[in-house]
Amino acid sequence: MHPLDLPEPPTQASIAHARAQLVALHESSQALEQQILDARDALARIVEERQAAIRDMERELAVLDDSVALTKAYVSPIKRLPHELLRHIFLFNFDDCAWSAWVLAAVCSLWRKVALAMPTIWSKIRLVTTQASSAETIRLWLERSGKTVPLDIEIILKSPSVHSALDSISRRRYLSIPHAAGDPWVAAGGWATPPPLVHTGAPGGTAVHLQIGGAHPTVHVVPVQAVVNDGVGPAPPPSPPGHTHEWEMPPLMPAVAAAAAAVAERTAPSSQQRVRKNLHWGHIAFYYLVEEMRRWERFVFRFDKQFATIGALKSIEGDAPLLREFEISCSDPAFYGDWKWLPSAHVNAHFDIGNLRTLTLQHVPFKWSSPMLRNLRHLHLRSLPTVHIALDRILHIVAANPQLESLALHFNSPNQPVLPLTPVTLSELKTLNLGGHYLLANLLESLLLPALDTLILDIEARDPIEEAVSALLTRSGTPPLTRLSLCYGASAGAHAGFYWGSSAGVTSWHFLGELEHLAALQVGSAQLEPLISALSAPDEDNGQDRWVCPRLVTLAMRGCHAHGDGVAKLVQMVEARNPDIGVAAGAGGAGTGLGGGGGGGGGGAVFGVVPARLRHLELYDCTALGPDVTKWLKTRIEEVVCTEPSFEGCVGRLVLVH
């Protein structure tokens, strides 16, 4: 900044000269600013021209990259694979993964065309859904399966929890496929969490992401992109841009788009309209399913609680000549009236279901005289709390299926028999599971089961249950029982014994001496010391002269509380059956090892018999073992699982030792 060359103090002449100079300076400054603006505009035009040129080149490069990718795909060896061989590969994938068709149809247009032309790979429906999902998924799956291919259907309907109900406000749509057929109902980790269907507006259809697999160690998680609209049937309208689709997550928008978002929100369907639409899920889904009932070969529908359109199940009525397995299961008991559907059909009704071999009905209405409850191989019934069936009618259900291989009955409130109970022989029954009211114990007195392998009793303990078990085995010719469970599934928590009675209805464990082939024993709500003493080495204290259950490899106890020296007796029992390998090898000795399955022999030989080594031990809410005892058990048993009882100051702490 140059100093002003003006005299001090100012005079009239110097002031006039300074004002003239100020005007000149203003004019020079404005001229220079204009030159700067012109230079910036010229630079901006040059940058815009170059950027436009770059964008044109990028578009040309993208087109070339697409052409290169298409050309590489065309010359790839897989393109030369004959379609017949490709179909065989698809069938192999279908055998390994029931829902592989969704993945295969999303790879390329050729594979999609081949997959859609193969109804067989669409014949197994595996779906986990909610009422907030669209039933059109089921329609699409059925349409792709053709008109003649037998159907294997397994659908899980989940009711939204508090958190998922909040998530439903965000308008997400879910489609999920479980791991594999036959997974247990409500098994931990057995079903994958439904992944969102993300719409991408692909040409010719709606693109979705399917997550195949889940937490199962043998199943891979493969995120793929599939197009829902395959041209079969009316195509759904494409989703317009922006947040106008009722299932999409509202995007995060800047403040400048708030007005547009408000308009879209006003034009979108209200939550009440969506709720009314979702209330019809059951009727829509079962309309599609029942229309294909003649093609059912396996039908499984499970739901966790009563839903709004549960009445749609009443439409299951008609001929199903291919049906081999049928299951309707609810994990939560509810109250229903009489339904006019297939399990409640009249005794003289005629339906073509002659191939039905497996039937499972849990917490749904059925009639004991229904033609559906005849000539079965596997039967599992869990009645509603309001159903009161006389015990002789329950036995009639059993007698109507003389070729049963597995039978599970759970009745909470049966009535006393009206007619006398007559003996029933089930020559092929291997698994018997009875649970609920104590009157079901009377069924054991009427059954002859020469091939029995597994016996599970979760009934109320009113009389000593060991007498009924011993009488059943004696009457049946002493079948080789390998698994016995007494009140193990029914007992829950530290105070289960109050309801089920002490010792799980067992006054003496000496009857275990008759079970030489027993490999797995599960006991609930029993005293720990008598059971452990019976399984320990023979001596004068337990009054045994030979090993009890010499083939026992799995022992599980739930709610079996210890008094006094329970932990010490448990250690003694494990020491006797699973001695230190080095000590046992050094001791030698002759005997017949009954370990089986590579388990090797255990304790000392008694009358030439060496017991098998325990390989699995479970203790749930029994007694506090302590870290030292748990560590010692680890050195003797391959797997130990235990939870300490809550009344001893532990809040269900789980210890898993391999």
Side-chain angles (χ1 to χ4, degrees):
M1 181 175 181
H2 300 284
L4 297 176
D5 188 14
L6 296 173
E8 295 291 345
T11 62
Q12 292 294 333
S14 63
I15 291 175
H17 178 71
R19 288 176 176 172
Q21 188 178 4
L22 181 60
V23 173
L25 290 175
H26 276 301
E27 293 177 354
S28 300
S29 176
Q30 291 177 357
L32 188 58
E33 289 179 354
Q34 185 61 41
Q35 292 177 6
I36 294 175
L37 291 176
D38 294 342
R40 287 178 176 175
D41 291 342
L43 178 61
R45 287 193 297 270
I46 295 174
V47 171
E48 179 62 27
E49 291 175 359
R50 296 297 181 263
Q51 288 181 345
I54 292 174
R55 287 194 294 268
D56 292 339
M57 289 185 289
E58 288 178 344
R59 283 193 292 267
E60 293 178 3
L61 181 60
V63 173
L64 290 176
D65 289 341
D66 292 341
S67 300
V68 170
L70 292 175
T71 305
K72 286 183 177 180
Y74 180 77
V75 300
S76 63
I78 194 66
K79 280 288 187 178
R80 298 193 293 272
L81 194 67
H83 291 185
E84 293 78 8
L85 186 56
L86 190 61
R87 293 189 184 95
H88 281 290
I89 296 175
F90 283 8
L91 290 176
F92 288 143
N93 280 271
F94 173 69
D95 293 338
D96 295 336
C97 180
W99 54 91
S100 60
W102 292 97
V103 183
L104 299 174
V107 174
C108 64
S109 59
L110 174 61
W111 283 30
R112 181 175 183 78
K113 181 179 179 181
V114 174
L116 293 179
M118 298 178 62
T120 301
I121 65 176
W122 300 95
S123 61
K124 292 184 179 181
I125 298 179
R126 300 291 184 269
L127 184 64
V128 176
T129 185
T130 65
Q131 292 188 82
S133 302
S134 174
E136 291 299 307
T137 303
I138 298 176
R139 176 196 63 80
L140 181 63
W141 218 321
L142 292 172
E143 287 181 351
R144 293 182 178 183
S145 66
K147 296 297 183 183
T148 59
V149 178
L151 295 174
D152 184 346
I153 303 171
E154 187 169 335
I155 300 175
I156 304 289
L157 179 65
K158 290 187 175 182
S159 298
S161 61
V162 176
H163 296 288
S164 59
L166 294 176
D167 292 339
S168 65
I169 301 177
S170 63
R171 306 173 182 89
R172 286 189 176 182
R173 180 183 180 185
Y174 288 96
L175 172 64
S176 173
I177 303 174
H179 299 297
D183 281 355
W185 172 229
V186 199
W191 300 93
T193 302
L197 272 132
V198 181
H199 298 266
T200 58
T206 302
V208 299
H209 291 285
L210 306 177
Q211 179 172 323
I212 307 301
H216 197 277
T218 60
V219 180
H220 299 283
V221 178
V222 184
V224 300
Q225 188 175 11
V227 179
V228 170
N229 179 20
D230 57 355
V232 181
S239 301
H243 176 51
T244 56
H245 197 281
E246 62 176 322
W247 300 108
E248 291 181 344
M249 172 73 74
L252 297 177
M253 299 182 181
V256 294
V263 174
E265 189 68 25
R266 288 195 299 269
T267 58
S270 65
S271 60
Q272 293 183 353
Q273 292 174 339
R274 289 192 299 273
V275 169
R276 287 196 297 267
K277 179 180 179 181
N278 298 338
L279 291 178
H280 301 291
W281 180 92
H283 296 294
I284 299 173
F286 277 92
Y287 170 78
Y288 294 136
L289 292 169
V290 174
E291 283 292 310
E292 303 294 338
M293 190 170 175
R294 296 191 64 87
R295 292 199 290 144
W296 288 2
E297 186 175 52
R298 179 174 178 267
F299 184 85
V300 176
F301 178 68
R302 300 168 182 156
F303 54 102
D304 51 4
K305 59 179 64 176
Q306 186 176 6
F307 55 99
T309 53
I310 193 172
L313 294 176
K314 300 178 183 179
S315 62
I316 302 178
E317 187 176 20
D319 295 334
L322 304 179
L323 188 61
R324 301 183 61 85
E325 179 180 352
F326 182 84
E327 176 182 347
I328 303 290
S329 296
C330 177
S331 59
D332 186 26
F335 300 94
Y336 309 103
D338 292 334
W339 284 5
K340 185 181 179 183
W341 67 321
L342 201 55
S344 299
H346 191 268
V347 63
N348 296 324
H350 297 284
F351 294 107
D352 188 1
I353 52 174
N355 288 322
L356 185 62
R357 293 296 177 266
T358 302
L359 176 62
T360 301
L361 299 174
Q362 299 192 71
H363 294 148
V364 291
F366 64 88
K367 288 186 177 180
W368 64 274
S369 59
S370 172
M372 200 177 196
L373 302 177
R374 301 174 187 171
N375 302 321
L376 300 170
R377 290 280 187 176
H378 307 275
L379 177 60
H380 184 182
L381 297 178
R382 183 179 291 268
S383 69
L384 293 167
T386 56
V387 173
H388 308 282
I389 302 179
L391 197 61
D392 58 300
R393 292 182 172 179
I394 298 177
L395 186 62
H396 176 272
I397 297 176
V398 177
N401 301 275
Q403 297 180 339
L404 278 174
E405 297 179 9
S406 63
L407 174 63
L409 300 175
H410 192 284
F411 290 85
N412 287 323
S413 53
N415 288 335
Q416 292 284 350
V418 177
L419 300 175
L421 300 182
T422 58
V424 175
T425 301
L426 302 176
S427 58
E428 301 180 23
L429 189 70
K430 298 180 180 179
T431 302
L432 176 62
N433 187 337
L434 297 180
H437 201 270
Y438 69 91
L439 285 178
L440 291 180
N442 297 333
L443 287 180
L444 295 177
E445 302 177 1
S446 303
L447 297 178
L448 283 80
L449 312 174
L452 186 63
D453 177 79
T454 299
L455 178 60
I456 303 173
L457 300 177
D458 288 328
I459 57 181
E460 302 176 22
R462 295 293 182 91
D463 297 319
I465 196 65
E466 71 271 17
E467 297 179 3
V469 174
S470 298
L472 172 65
L473 297 179
T474 302
R475 188 170 57 251
S476 302
T478 315
L481 194 68
T482 62
R483 180 192 173 193
L484 176 63
S485 177
L486 299 176
C487 290
Y488 185 76
S491 60
H495 306 289
F498 177 80
Y499 176 75
W500 296 99
S502 61
S503 297
V506 177
T507 58
S508 173
W509 294 101
H510 290 296
F511 77 101
L512 294 178
E514 306 171 7
L515 308 179
E516 297 182 355
H517 300 274
L518 193 67
L521 176 62
Q522 297 173 315
V523 178
S525 301
Q527 295 182 10
L528 183 67
E529 290 85 349
L531 175 59
I532 295 300
S533 298
L535 297 175
S536 298
D539 55 23
E540 296 181 357
D541 294 338
N542 55 22
Q544 299 168 179
D545 57 357
R546 57 193 177 94
W547 284 101
V548 173
C549 304
R551 289 182 169 85
L552 188 67
V553 295
T554 298
L555 176 62
M557 293 173 284
R558 186 188 301 272
C560 298
H561 306 309
H563 303 280
D565 57 348
V567 177
K569 289 187 176 181
L570 174 65
V571 172
Q572 294 173 6
M573 185 271 292
V574 174
E575 174 70 21
R577 285 184 171 266
N578 290 35
D580 185 74
I581 297 178
V583 176
T592 303
L594 298 175
V606 178
F607 295 111
V609 176
V610 179
R613 295 181 65 88
L614 284 175
R615 297 200 295 266
H616 188 87
L617 175 64
E618 296 182 8
L619 295 171
Y620 294 105
D621 296 328
C622 293
T623 184
L625 298 181
D628 53 344
V629 176
T630 303
K631 183 178 180 180
W632 181 85
L633 290 174
K634 173 185 176 180
T635 63
R636 300 301 179 93
I637 303 177
E638 296 179 9
E639 186 176 8
V640 177
V641 180
C642 64
T643 58
E644 298 179 354
S646 58
F647 65 85
E648 296 195 24
C650 301
V651 187
R653 185 172 58 200
L654 178 64
V655 180
L656 175 61
V657 182
H658 293 283

